Amino acid sequence: MNEPIRRIEWLGMSFKTILTTEASGGSMSIVDSSVPDGVGPPRHVHKAEDEIIIILDGRCELWLDGACFECGPGETAFIPRGTEHTFRVIGGAPCRQIVVLTPGGFEGFFKDMAAGQFSIPEDMPAIDASASRHNMTFTGPPLE
């Protein structure tokens, strides 16, 4: 039986793991996230995981390997491992997403960020260290 992790908060974002890596035998993790308007991560690459983002509420501008497009409720984006990407919430409201990562394990990055309550850019050395442990590299700034 999958034991959901409590909702964790970091920089106004919230994350709840709804399928743990352990519950899937390592094959995937699923995270329910909510991100405020205007917010998104710096450009980055997941070295080991494919990522699927399913938009439940709100809108996002996604940047995928140099191309920009928008996603709204009911739309899905597939991001193959090794592909540089980022997103930014747009439209004046938060965006709720289901994020599927395969194989699992990346949800540990969100735990690290919530535990340390790290700030960008002040705490980038600690953020980069966690990213490295979770097979991710930051490659550029967030969308503006």
Side-chain angles (χ1 to χ4, degrees), residues 44-47 49-51 63-66 78-86 139:
H44 59 281
V45 172
H46 298 279
K47 298 173 193 167
E49 299 86 14
D50 292 326
E51 182 175 14
W63 184 94
L64 182 60
D65 208 17
F78 175 70
I79 304 158
R81 68 191 74 192
T83 304
E84 187 178 26
H85 66 283
T86 190
T139 57

Side-chain angles (χ1 to χ4, degrees), residues 25-53:
S27 65
M28 70 176 60
S29 62
I30 302 175
V31 177
D32 179 341
S33 70
S34 181
V35 181
D37 184 48
V39 173
R43 285 196 322 253
H44 59 281
V45 172
H46 298 279
K47 298 173 193 167
E49 299 86 14
D50 292 326
E51 182 175 14
I52 301 163
I53 300 173

Side-chain angles (χ1 to χ4, degrees):
M1 175 100 195
N2 183 44
E3 293 288 326
I5 296 173
R6 66 178 170 78
R7 188 164 289 280
I8 56 176
E9 307 282 332
W10 176 54
L11 296 179
M13 298 174 283
S14 68
F15 307 92
K16 181 179 181 182
T17 301
I18 56 177
L19 178 68
T20 64
T21 299
E22 295 75 25
S24 72
S27 65
M28 70 176 60
S29 62
I30 302 175
V31 177
D32 179 341
S33 70
S34 181
V35 181
D37 184 48
V39 173
R43 285 196 322 253
H44 59 281
V45 172
H46 298 279
K47 298 173 193 167
E49 299 86 14
D50 292 326
E51 182 175 14
I52 301 163
I53 300 173
I54 305 160
I55 306 297
L56 300 178
D57 296 304
R59 296 195 68 72
C60 280
E61 175 185 22
L62 282 97
W63 184 94
L64 182 60
D65 208 17
C68 275
F69 56 96
E70 289 186 21
C71 281
E75 295 182 307
T76 301
F78 175 70
I79 304 158
R81 68 191 74 192
T83 304
E84 187 178 26
H85 66 283
T86 190
F87 70 88
R88 178 176 59 112
V89 175
I90 59 173
C95 183
R96 185 168 168 229
Q97 314 165 346
I98 297 293
V99 179
V100 180
L101 293 144
T102 181
F106 186 76
E107 70 275 18
F109 176 79
F110 301 127
K111 288 185 209 174
D112 289 354
M113 296 305 99
Q117 289 300 304
F118 300 119
S119 296
I120 298 173
E122 297 81 8
D123 297 317
M124 281 310 290
I127 295 169
D128 282 335
S130 177
S132 180
R133 285 192 303 276
H134 294 96
N135 301 309
M136 181 174 70
T137 302
F138 290 106
T139 57
L143 294 175
E144 292 187 16

